[in-house]
Structure formats: structure tokens, C-alpha cells
Amino acid sequence: MKRILPVTGTEWCDKHFRLPAGSSQTSGQWTTMPLQIVPLNMMCNRAIRVFVWQKSARIGYTKVLVGAVSSLQDQYSTNIVIYQPTEDDAKDFTIDEIDAAWEEMPIMRKIFPFLFSNNEKNTTKKKVGLGWTLDIKGAGTPKNMRRLTKGALFGDEVDGWDWELGKEGSPIKLARTRLEGAAFPMERWGTTPTVAGESHIENLMAQADLTFRFYLPCPHCGHEQTLVWGSPDTKHGMKWDNSKTSINAKARTAHYSCINCHGQEEHQGKIYYHQLSNMQKAGRWVAEDGTWTKDGIHFFSESGDSEVTPESVGIHCWAGYSLNLSTGWIGLVKEFLSCKGDPAKLKPFVNLVLGELWEGDNRDKLDWELLKNRREVWWKGERKDNPVPDRACVLTGGIDTQDDRVEFFIWAWGAGEECWLIDHIVLLGDLSSDELKKAAGEQLYNQYKKSNGEIMDVRLWCWDAMGHKTDDVYSMSRNHGSLWVIPIQGENQYGKPIANFPRKKNGKKVYLTRLGTDGIKARLYSRLGKAPSSSGEAVPGCIHFPVDDEICGDEFFKQLCSASKKLEIKKNGQRVWRWIKQYHPFDEALDGWNYAHAALNILEQRFGFVLIEPEVSALKKTVKTSGIRAAAERLKGG
């Protein structure tokens, strides 16, 4: 009958937590690194109502989250919900992190008897243990924010969440309602940050009462300081010998320069990566008002007096603190030098390595000349003979309608939504004329070939039906297949789904589909920063352009980079981003990608298409690999 007193999250994890093989660099018994002690204990400290962690990659955040959840369930029988950005993210997190870790932990077998069962009490969405429940859900669906009452809420990768969920409002606010009535309500938020001005973590950090950073004593002078990247204008921070000729040679001289004793003759204030571990053991987390802690449980004032536990805290740390870097600070410096001067590479470095918000100009895009210089050759022989890369498994098309022309953009898609521009066709004339309708109709049936000889046609088209040519686009859809040529109209409103495919035809006998153009543009501009692999390997989300001036010359790239975001403040104080045409008068290339991406989304959501490797790509439901076009032709006019 003896009651076991709770221990700190660190103590619990060091005793019970296991790292599974496959999802961890090393498997076996968990040992909390000095950097992780305070964050882990704060996550498990029930006196802290709100905990916000703005972090980089490479610091073990996901493992800390799983350890904290497991500790709370074992010691307090806490009912918990974990929100991931999407349903797929939630499922992957359950399988790769929760299930994989728990199967290695004897303690979980005691408190979760259904661990190895396959029933309603152990699914990828819900776990029911002895006196507790755990829900793992996607944050992109309003219904997932309802009908749950929890003691603890973990919001993971919150900067990957939608800004708003349609008319439901902020997903952060909706998620918080799950804690109403809890005895010890706990909010736990964490993410790598994205863009300043549209970041959930930015707002959450601003709301925290105290923000803690990890102060480390210099091994030479003992002066406490946070690690910062620094700049050429500062004498402290991450430094290297710039006189070396190559990136590798410069990176090998990487060191940290102390803010207090840099330049002293004996050691020149240089700190090296191998000294970091001992520095962290002597370090402490200090807030802006001088409040400090070494364990996340006991807090002290600047003068050393005991302080009450703060109710709302934020912490920030970045990859420079990590003790798990395979090449130490050398690797970070090499990574920085490799992306220096290229915004496409610098933004991920700022977000994922420094754990900082990307200030930029809030456009999430590249200069058009940088994009043009990134064009590639992925075909053998003449491009016109086999323009489709072998990794592609489906083609979709976007068609833009103007009063004097129609433009076709054909994109190939591979696993992870990696995509390649395959063709760009411009037909001059008025779509209202029979001649242009006939010519445009012929282009719909173009076929393209891979180097392996596989012939591909365009699986689905999305055709712009805005402006004066709406009825003409409708007629093209009816004549060529209402399930193959989809009329679309954009809606410039954040929170709208990418493609809201209707359940039935409208009065014109077509499936008019509304597009959330703001969301699609944000997705495009975030992906333009992904650079192709120099070795030709797959890069999920990367957008590839061919070396072909007829397909994508200067005008194409100017159009692709034509939009910019502008912040609007509504009367109720709500911050809303709007995309405006600013840098170029035309934007057909931008719209062409948007429409082709919407077509891919319709294939996945409406027809069950699975975007995987070509050799196993298939339609899961009723539309088989013979193509949507065949189905559409059977339904022509229907």
C-alpha cells in the first residue's frame, strides 16, 4: 500500500525511457543530456501551466516530448492529447515515436495492458491505459478540437499548423478549450519556427511571462553567456578562419569566441566543441528578469532567493548547443558557408539550425534570376523525346484563361510531391471561338514519355474559369469529360482548403471547384527554397525546372515570383495575410503551378490516388491505372 512519490521527468526518463532502434541514432537506455534537463522537467512540472519551446532541429525535442508524455501518464494518470499538423503526421508520429518507444519500455506494459493488442483501445489515434487516455490527432480538422477534455495538451510543430481553420478561428485557441475544467491544466507547445509575422510560436513566446535561455560559463574566464551565431560585425559568436580557400578548410577552423575574453593572447577566447559538455553541466537557464533555474523545478531570483514557479514560460535553444552533432560546430559552419548568399538555402538554416524566425520580406520566395539559374537537365538525349523524369508517377495540368490566349502548364509529380515542369503551351486567340476551342481540346490529349519508354498522359486538368470565359471553360469540361477537366475558381481567403471538390455538379453540369489560392501560394513559395540534390537524389517537395527557354525563360520566372504577401489587420485585431500581385504585371506561371497542384490534390482527396514510387503507384479506389481520362470519356457530357 506504500505510495510511490513522483519524481522529476528527467529522473523518470533516465530510469524507464528507452530509445527504439530505427527512429533514433542510438538505441537502448535514455540518458538526458544537460541541455534537455530543464525542458524535460518543465514539460512534466504541473505547476507550469504553459510551456513554449522555440527550438531548432537536432536537439532531441521529439524524444523529450515522448518521454514527458510517458512520465505524466505513469505518475499522474494524466489524460493527454497530442496535436500534429496533419492526420498523416499524427499517424506517423504514433507509429514511429509512441509505439516504437513504448514497446521497448517495461513500465508501459504495466500501465498499458493493451500495448501489443490491436483493438479500439490501441490504435494510431487513441491509447487507453490504466486510468488514462492518450489521443493523437491532426490539428488541421476542426472536429479534432471538439468533444475532448484533457489534463495536458501537447501541440507539436505548431508553425506547421494552419493559420486559421476556416470560420472556426485560430487552431491554438480551439485546442486550448480541451483543457477547460482540468485540475492541473498543462499546455505544451513546440516547433521549429518559420516566418516572422505569421508564426504561431512567435505569438506564443510573446505571451509567456518569462523566456529562458541556456547560459554557459566560458572555460577560460568563467563569464556566463548564451551561445549565438554572431555576425562579421561582432567579435563574439561562431567564428572560423576566412583566409582559407575552401569551405571545408574554413569549417575545420570552427570555434566559438567568448564575448568577454576574446582576443586574449593565451587562448584568444576560443572555445571548441569538445568543451561544450562540461560547459553545459555547469550552465543554468536564465530569464530576462534574472530568474534562473538549473533543473526546471526550483527557481531563484537574480540575487539567489527562492522564487515561486512561473505559470507561463518560454525557452529557446538551437543546434549549436547539441552534443549529438556528428562533426560538431564544423558541420554547422560548413552548412552555413554552403548556403551563404542564397536565400533559398539560408532560410532553412535560420529556421532549422538557429531556431530563429525568418525575417526576410514575408514573401517566402526567391528572386526570379536565382530560380532561373537553378534549371536542370534530367533527360537523356533531346528533351522533347523524353521530358518526364523516371521518378515521376503522375502528370497533372493547370490551364490559365485570358481574353487573348490560353496557357497550359503540365507538371510531373513524384513521391513527397517532388515535381518537374514538363511543358508550357501558349495558344493565342479567343476561347469563345470554335477554332481555339478545337486547338485547346487537342492539347488536352498530349502524351509524354519517360526515358524508360513509359508513355504518360495528363491524369487531371484544372482550368481557370474566372473572368469572361466561364461558360467557355464549362463547355470544354462537358465536352472532354467533367471528371477529367475541372473548372476552378480561386478564393483569396486564408484557411480555405486547397481544392474543395463538390459532391455534385452545379447547374451548368460541371464540377466547379473552389481553390484556397492563398494556401497554395504559400505552399509554392515555401517549396521554392528547396534546392535540387547535386547527386540527383530525390528531394521531397522540391520544384524542378528544365533548361529550356521556350518552356521557362525569363518571363516564366518573373511570373512565378510575381506575388507578395501583405499583412492586414481586421477591425477585431485579427492578423490576416493577403497575397497581392506586385513584382510583375502577369502571373500565369504562378497560377499554372497552383492549378496543377490543385489537380493533384483532387486526385488524392476525391479519387484516392497515392503519390508513391512509380513502380507501385496506383489508385486505391475505383479509378485504376488506366487513368481518369478513360473514366471521364465514359462520362462525357454526363
Side-chain angles (χ1 to χ4, degrees), residues 334-577:
K334 182 178 179 180
E335 190 171 343
F336 171 75
L337 293 174
S338 297
C339 67
K340 189 177 179 181
D342 185 348
K345 298 178 181 179
L346 189 58
K347 178 180 180 295
F349 181 86
V350 170
N351 292 156
L352 300 177
V353 175
L354 303 185
E356 299 284 359
L357 293 155
W358 175 253
E359 297 291 341
D361 58 3
N362 288 320
R363 279 189 286 148
D364 262 359
K365 75 179 190 67
L366 293 174
D367 182 84
W368 70 268
E369 290 177 309
L370 289 176
L371 279 182
K372 181 184 176 184
N373 292 336
R374 213 178 71 188
R375 295 187 300 179
E376 310 164 64
V377 174
W378 59 73
W379 54 90
K380 298 176 183 178
E382 295 291 331
R383 200 192 77 83
K384 61 183 177 58
D385 295 331
N386 47 17
V388 183
D390 290 341
R391 287 205 303 273
C393 60
V394 70
L395 303 181
T396 64
I399 308 174
D400 187 81
T401 311
Q402 300 294 327
D403 288 341
D404 61 348
R405 68 190 182 280
V406 176
E407 297 197 30
F408 298 74
F409 299 86
I410 294 87
W411 287 87
W413 303 88
E417 293 196 4
E418 187 174 19
C419 64
W420 298 261
L421 178 62
I422 301 303
D423 204 357
H424 174 204
I425 303 164
V426 180
L427 298 180
L428 300 178
D430 187 346
L431 186 60
S432 300
S433 68
D434 292 338
E435 292 80 9
L436 192 59
K437 280 191 176 70
K438 179 181 178 182
E442 292 173 352
Q443 297 297 332
L444 297 174
Y445 296 87
N446 287 345
Q447 293 183 320
Y448 301 89
K449 190 171 69 171
K450 295 183 178 181
S451 60
N452 61 13
E454 179 185 350
I455 302 295
M456 302 183 72
D457 54 13
V458 177
R459 194 69 63 86
L460 195 69
W461 296 92
C462 276
W463 197 324
D464 170 30
M466 299 283 282
H468 304 131
K469 306 301 177 182
T470 301
D471 289 337
D472 297 308
V473 175
Y474 286 174
S475 70
M476 295 297 286
S477 176
R478 291 191 297 265
N479 293 336
H480 294 278
S482 57
L483 284 175
W484 185 42
V485 180
I486 311 296
I488 53 96
Q489 291 184 353
E491 293 185 336
N492 187 26
Q493 181 178 347
Y494 256 90
K496 288 288 184 181
I498 288 176
N500 189 14
F501 192 85
R503 296 185 178 216
K504 58 182 181 179
K505 299 176 182 179
N506 64 7
K508 298 290 187 176
K509 303 299 182 183
V510 296
Y511 290 98
L512 177 63
T513 300
R514 310 286 182 178
L515 302 187
T517 54
D518 279 351
I520 304 179
K521 289 174 183 176
R523 182 170 296 187
L524 167 65
Y525 283 138
S526 68
R527 293 181 181 182
L528 287 177
K530 293 179 179 286
S533 167
S534 58
S535 61
E537 296 178 354
V539 179
C542 184
I543 301 175
H544 302 268
F545 307 98
V547 180
D548 189 328
D549 286 337
E550 293 184 5
I551 301 297
C552 50
D554 290 359
E555 178 64 20
F556 173 89
F557 287 105
K558 289 177 182 178
Q559 293 179 10
L560 194 66
C561 298
S562 62
S564 177
K565 273 188 291 191
K566 180 181 179 181
L567 182 63
E568 292 183 0
I569 309 295
K570 292 187 174 181
K571 292 182 179 180
N572 60 3
Q574 180 184 1
R575 293 148 51 104
V576 179
W577 289 98

Side-chain angles (χ1 to χ4, degrees), residues 146-417:
R146 306 187 188 108
R147 296 188 299 277
L148 287 175
T149 300
K150 296 294 181 180
L153 155 69
F154 284 76
D156 192 14
E157 291 301 337
V158 293
D159 270 10
W161 294 17
D162 292 334
W163 191 248
E164 288 194 5
L165 294 179
K167 297 181 180 180
E168 301 281 345
S170 167
I172 302 293
K173 183 177 180 180
L174 289 175
R176 278 176 164 157
T177 61
R178 302 306 96 220
L179 300 177
E180 292 178 358
F184 295 95
M186 291 181 286
E187 300 175 24
R188 306 296 186 249
W189 310 97
T191 192
T192 50
T194 52
V195 180
E198 53 181 303
S199 163
H200 288 302
I201 205 70
E202 180 183 21
N203 293 339
L204 289 166
M205 289 287 281
Q207 295 166 12
D209 295 335
L210 295 174
T211 301
F212 290 83
R213 287 177 169 81
F214 204 11
Y215 280 71
L216 308 180
C218 173
H220 308 300
C221 68
H223 180 78
E224 285 188 324
Q225 60 202 296
T226 58
L227 298 184
V228 298
W229 187 259
S231 71
D233 300 325
T234 62
K235 294 183 178 180
H236 67 284
M238 204 66 67
K239 301 296 179 182
W240 55 89
D241 186 352
N242 233 355
S243 66
K244 302 292 184 180
T245 56
S246 69
I247 289 179
N248 286 335
K250 292 177 181 179
R252 283 195 293 269
T253 67
H255 62 276
Y256 193 88
S257 182
C258 173
I259 192 173
N260 183 61
C261 67
H262 60 79
Q264 293 187 11
E265 291 185 5
E266 182 180 357
H267 48 72
Q268 298 183 335
K270 292 182 178 180
I271 303 171
Y272 293 96
Y273 184 70
H274 69 267
Q275 298 172 295
L276 181 60
S277 178
N278 288 334
M279 292 168 63
Q280 289 192 9
K281 291 175 183 177
R284 58 181 184 153
W285 291 77
V286 185
E288 59 268 35
D289 70 344
T291 302
W292 61 274
T293 180
K294 280 199 166 190
D295 60 6
I297 304 296
H298 305 95
F299 294 83
F300 303 90
S301 68
E302 190 173 10
S303 60
D305 298 325
S306 294
E307 291 275 0
V308 296
T309 302
E311 184 176 312
S312 174
V313 301
I315 66 171
H316 176 271
C317 56
W318 62 286
Y321 284 96
S322 176
L323 298 176
N324 285 336
L325 301 175
S326 58
T327 55
W329 291 336
I330 292 175
L332 298 186
V333 170
K334 182 178 179 180
E335 190 171 343
F336 171 75
L337 293 174
S338 297
C339 67
K340 189 177 179 181
D342 185 348
K345 298 178 181 179
L346 189 58
K347 178 180 180 295
F349 181 86
V350 170
N351 292 156
L352 300 177
V353 175
L354 303 185
E356 299 284 359
L357 293 155
W358 175 253
E359 297 291 341
D361 58 3
N362 288 320
R363 279 189 286 148
D364 262 359
K365 75 179 190 67
L366 293 174
D367 182 84
W368 70 268
E369 290 177 309
L370 289 176
L371 279 182
K372 181 184 176 184
N373 292 336
R374 213 178 71 188
R375 295 187 300 179
E376 310 164 64
V377 174
W378 59 73
W379 54 90
K380 298 176 183 178
E382 295 291 331
R383 200 192 77 83
K384 61 183 177 58
D385 295 331
N386 47 17
V388 183
D390 290 341
R391 287 205 303 273
C393 60
V394 70
L395 303 181
T396 64
I399 308 174
D400 187 81
T401 311
Q402 300 294 327
D403 288 341
D404 61 348
R405 68 190 182 280
V406 176
E407 297 197 30
F408 298 74
F409 299 86
I410 294 87
W411 287 87
W413 303 88
E417 293 196 4

